[in-house]
């Protein structure tokens, strides 16, 4: 048999091989003509691999010299073992097993293994295990031109909203017309440690046709490892780096906005993640850390060169938080500096008129909607249809009822699932009350930072929706989820629900 003849060939070859000890780092191995290597040979019927001696002569007859794994005509020569049960290792890489341009590899660069066998990790398998030829799948990185491309330009992007940007809410926004969705900010360290609560943030619903995840961290090694893990374990179309989080807990650890002032570390993170990802890498940032000391216009140029596919800029600094309106003229300046890389703007979009005002004549490629989607998730419909939607209180109630159904499906319908759904519903209601029905406005459109005087709705349910009292929000939750537990209390977690 072929395997038997290969064993005989190995025995005859090793008898002629003399090896002495290695002294002072110099090779003292004596080579014989019986040292073998792999060579590609054209024969009738195609191309096959044969074993040759160090001098280039064929070893054995055609039966014993042909390697078990023969490449196809259109495939490059990959890792094959000769019938002599030796796989040949390139002396420069110590791992690659191939016929290289320098000529046949000698037996001194070979390791005895089972015929034509090598594990996917590159380690030789013992004798007797036959699994076929080893391929280069997983060992060769995709070139940048071969990586997955995503067309972001012109799309409506739902921001990754901490706490509120959960899967049920994203489903609601998708139904209202959002094009791009992104999971809540996940901490890199927690993902690597396998925390189930953090991995739950990466879950994708089937309706999310263009979905990404956002990670936050401050160390290049852990961020790169996290990206590598997401690349193999998560079903995503892109990965986003959070460099816009203003929270002290994140900022003081060197993550979030702090990365904007640490360009060397920022560059290492971006370049490392781009290298290991097969999908686009995007970045979300602010205008800068300090008010009127903006740095985004310089960073976007660097991010383009480092390999980022999209940058989204919130038109406020960390120091501003929500005290002033977003500066869209500065965002346009950043978009010009980053060209041809797409740049999305973010901040204060609450109507299709806001969208038109910021996009008309601008260099921006699109907008990201954050608080505007929390105040009225049907904003995506208004932008696409270019109209004001005077949504009724019953329609708003239907939307909440649908959200509760999605929540029970996602978090469970047991006691814990019901209370989790209630908590997230109440967080959302702390934003929804800020919506002023179109039919009650003296002038259009509503502005996101304008605080209205006290007013009464057109019916009792509408009046209940516009209340800023937590007790009324709890009452709405009881209409959908039943009575709250004894001694139940709720205070909004997010300060972003305030007007300033």
């Amino acid at each position: 048999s072929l395997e038997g003849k290969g064993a005989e060939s190995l025995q005859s070859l090793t008898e002629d091989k003399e090896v002495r000890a290695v002294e002072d780092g110099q090779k003292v191995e004596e080579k014989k003509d019986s040292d073998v290597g792999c060579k590609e040979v054209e024969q009738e019927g195609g191309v096959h691999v044969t074993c040759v001696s160090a001098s280039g002569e064929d070893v054995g007859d055609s039966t014993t010299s042909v390697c078990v794994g023969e490449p196809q005509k259109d495939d490059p020569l990959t890792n094959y073992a000769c019938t002599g049960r030796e796989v040949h290792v390139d002396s420069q890489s110590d791992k690659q097993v191939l016929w290289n341009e320098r000529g046949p590899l000698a037996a001194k660069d070979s390791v005895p293994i089972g015929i034509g066998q090598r594990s996917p990790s590159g380690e030789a398998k013992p004798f007797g295990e036959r699994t076929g030829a080893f391929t280069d799948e997983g060992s060769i990185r995709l070139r940048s031109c071969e990586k997955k491309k995503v067309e972001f330009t012109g799309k409506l992007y739902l921001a990754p909203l901490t706490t509120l940007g959960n899967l049920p809410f994203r489903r609601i926004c998708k139904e209202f017309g959002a094009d791009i969705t992104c999971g809540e900010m996940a901490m890199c360290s927690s993902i690597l440690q396998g925390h189930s609560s953090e991995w739950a943030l990466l879950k994708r619903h089937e309706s999310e046709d263009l979905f990404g995840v956002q990670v936050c961290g401050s160390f290049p090694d852990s961020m790169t490892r996290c990206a590598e893990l997401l690349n193999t374990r998560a079903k995503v179309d892109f990965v986003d780096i959070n460099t816009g989080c203003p929270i002290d807990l994140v900022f003081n650890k060197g993550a979030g906005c702090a990365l904007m002032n640490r360009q060397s570390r920022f560059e290492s993170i971006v370049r490392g993640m781009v290298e290991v990802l097969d999908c686009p890498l995007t970045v979300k940032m602010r205008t800068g850390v300090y008010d009127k000391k903006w740095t985004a216009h310089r960073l976007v140029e660097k991010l383009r060169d480092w390999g980022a596919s999209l940058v989204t800029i919130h038109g406020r600094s960390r120091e501003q938080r929500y005290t002033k309106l977003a500066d869209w003229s500065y965002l346009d300046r950043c978009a010009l500096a980053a060209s041809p890389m797409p740049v999305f703007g973010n901040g204060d979009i609450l109507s299709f008129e806001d969208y038109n005002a910021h996009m008309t004549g601008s260099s921006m490629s699109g907008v990201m909607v954050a608080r505007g989607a929390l105040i009225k998730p049907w904003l995506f419909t208004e932008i696409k249809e270019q109209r004001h939607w005077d949504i009724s209180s019953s329609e708003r109630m239907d939307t909440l009822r649908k959200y509760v159904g999605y929540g029970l499906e996602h978090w469970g319908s047991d006691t814990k699932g019901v209370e989790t759904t209630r908590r997230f519903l109440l967080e959302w209601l702390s934003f929804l009350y800020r919506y002023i029905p179109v039919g009650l406005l003296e002038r259009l459109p509503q502005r996101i930072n304008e605080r209205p005087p006290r007013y009464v709705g057109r019916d009792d349910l509408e009046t209940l929706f516009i209340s800023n009292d937590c007790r009324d929000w709890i009452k709405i939750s009881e209409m959908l989820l039943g009575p709250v537990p004894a001694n139940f209390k709720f205070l909004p977690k997010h300060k972003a629900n305030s007007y300033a």
Side-chain angles (χ1 to χ4, degrees):
S1 66
L2 182 60
E3 188 171 348
K5 292 180 180 180
E8 294 174 4
S9 176
L10 174 62
Q11 184 177 2
S12 63
L13 291 172
T14 53
E15 287 175 355
D16 295 332
K17 187 174 181 179
E18 297 178 10
V19 181
R20 299 201 306 268
V22 178
E23 299 176 355
D24 299 328
Q26 296 181 349
K27 296 181 180 179
V28 293
E29 179 181 335
E30 294 183 359
K31 295 183 289 184
K32 300 292 184 181
D33 277 351
S34 58
D35 290 349
V36 295
C38 289
K39 182 177 181 179
E40 191 175 8
V41 178
E42 292 187 8
Q43 284 188 349
E44 184 178 354
V47 178
H48 74 279
V49 182
T50 182
C51 299
V52 296
S53 67
S55 61
E57 297 179 358
D58 222 338
V59 178
D61 57 38
S62 60
T63 303
T64 59
S65 64
V66 177
C67 288
V68 174
E70 294 188 5
Q72 302 296 322
K73 291 182 180 180
D74 298 330
D75 290 340
L77 180 62
T78 52
N79 300 349
Y80 297 100
C82 296
T83 55
R85 292 179 181 267
E86 290 184 332
V87 136
H88 307 293
V89 184
D90 190 319
S91 58
Q92 290 189 356
S93 68
D94 294 329
K95 292 183 179 180
Q96 296 295 329
V97 183
L98 71 164
W99 163 266
N100 64 18
E101 297 177 354
R102 298 188 299 276
L105 299 171
K108 67 182 178 63
D109 295 321
S110 304
V111 291
I113 65 168
I115 298 176
Q117 296 179 47
R118 181 169 279 268
S119 68
S121 63
E123 299 178 355
K125 291 186 177 182
F127 291 124
E129 297 183 25
R130 295 193 61 173
T131 57
F134 173 66
T135 68
D136 59 8
E137 183 179 0
S139 63
I140 296 180
R141 293 287 181 194
L142 293 176
R143 294 177 298 172
S144 58
C145 62
E146 297 173 323
K147 293 186 177 183
K148 179 178 180 178
K149 303 293 183 183
V150 175
E151 181 55 52
F152 295 103
T153 303
K155 290 182 168 59
L156 295 177
Y157 189 169
L158 173 64
L161 302 162
T162 303
T163 304
L164 294 151
N166 46 63
L167 186 144
F169 179 74
R170 297 198 306 268
R171 289 181 67 179
I172 293 292
C173 291
K174 280 297 296 182
E175 293 176 4
F176 279 122
D179 298 314
I180 308 172
T181 53
C182 187
E184 301 174 59
M185 180 186 74
M187 298 305 296
C188 166
S189 56
S190 298
I191 292 175
L192 292 176
Q193 291 166 7
H195 293 174
S196 58
S197 58
E198 215 71 11
W199 276 93
L201 303 178
L202 313 180
K203 189 174 180 181
R204 173 183 192 168
H205 189 261
E206 59 184 10
S207 65
E208 297 179 277
D209 49 355
L210 186 48
F211 172 74
V213 296
Q214 186 183 74
V215 292
C216 182
S218 59
F219 297 102
D221 55 343
S222 58
M223 287 288 279
T224 302
R225 179 68 188 97
C226 181
E228 198 170 22
L229 192 61
L230 294 175
N231 198 50
T232 56
R233 299 289 183 179
K235 297 180 180 179
V236 297
D237 298 304
F238 63 93
V239 175
D240 187 71
I241 302 176
N242 184 312
T243 54
C245 182
I247 299 173
D248 292 340
L249 182 64
V250 174
F251 183 84
N252 293 337
K253 291 182 178 180
C257 264
L259 283 177
M260 295 186 68
N261 283 349
R262 300 182 177 186
Q263 290 190 26
S264 179
R265 179 173 290 193
F266 195 6
E267 178 181 3
S268 298
I269 289 174
V270 174
R271 288 190 183 276
M273 293 180 72
V274 167
E275 181 67 24
V276 300
L277 285 172
D278 295 338
C279 61
L281 178 75
T282 65
V283 177
K284 185 175 186 293
M285 60 197 298
R286 287 176 175 261
T287 56
V289 176
Y290 304 107
D291 193 18
K292 298 305 179 184
K293 294 182 181 179
W294 296 339
T295 57
H297 62 285
R298 292 193 295 270
L299 276 175
V300 288
E301 298 180 26
K302 294 180 176 8
L303 286 166
R304 177 195 59 206
D305 298 335
W306 297 342
S309 298
L310 168 73
V311 173
T312 303
I313 308 174
H314 184 179
R316 296 181 178 88
S317 66
R318 175 182 183 264
E319 194 174 58
Q320 281 181 260
R321 296 293 177 97
Y322 296 99
T323 56
K324 298 178 182 178
L325 294 176
D327 191 329
W328 281 80
S329 61
Y330 178 72
L331 300 187
D332 188 46
R333 175 186 170 190
C334 293
L336 286 170
S339 181
M341 180 184 68
V343 173
F344 274 43
N346 170 230
D348 304 338
I349 302 288
L350 192 59
S351 67
F352 76 90
E353 293 177 345
D354 292 333
Y355 173 86
N356 293 344
H358 298 317
M359 290 298 294
T360 303
S362 169
S363 300
M364 308 296 296
S365 299
V367 299
M368 174 184 279
V369 183
R371 288 187 301 164
L374 293 170
I375 295 172
K376 57 174 192 180
W378 52 92
L379 172 59
F380 299 103
T381 302
E382 291 189 351
I383 293 174
K384 289 190 171 181
E385 297 182 1
Q386 292 289 290
R387 67 181 178 93
H388 292 290
W389 185 354
D390 188 9
I391 190 168
S392 66
S393 58
S394 60
E395 288 175 308
R396 294 170 68 184
M397 190 58 149
D398 289 340
T399 299
L400 293 180
R401 190 175 289 110
K402 189 178 293 185
Y403 175 83
V404 167
Y406 293 158
L408 296 176
E409 180 183 332
H410 181 57
W411 292 299
S413 55
D414 57 355
T415 302
K416 183 177 180 181
V418 169
E419 293 312 310
T420 300
T421 302
R422 188 193 306 275
R423 182 168 64 87
F424 285 113
L425 173 64
L426 291 171
E427 290 286 355
W428 187 20
L429 287 169
S430 71
F431 284 88
L432 278 173
Y433 85 93
R434 290 179 56 178
Y435 169 70
I436 304 172
V438 172
L440 298 180
L441 287 171
E442 292 183 353
R443 59 170 176 79
L444 296 173
Q446 177 186 355
R447 300 298 181 186
I448 198 166
N449 278 13
E450 289 180 348
R451 189 191 301 269
R454 293 182 64 86
Y455 66 98
V456 177
R458 292 168 291 188
D459 55 52
D460 291 341
L461 185 57
E462 193 167 76
T463 303
L464 189 63
F465 278 139
I466 63 180
S467 172
N468 61 358
D469 191 331
C470 290
R471 290 171 295 183
D472 289 329
W473 304 340
I474 293 174
K475 187 181 299 184
I476 294 173
S477 78
E478 290 181 318
M479 295 168 65
L480 297 166
L481 291 166
V484 298
N487 301 320
F488 178 84
K489 294 181 180 180
F490 171 76
L491 287 175
K493 179 180 178 181
H494 255 287
K495 295 181 179 179
N497 66 346
S498 61
Y499 283 91

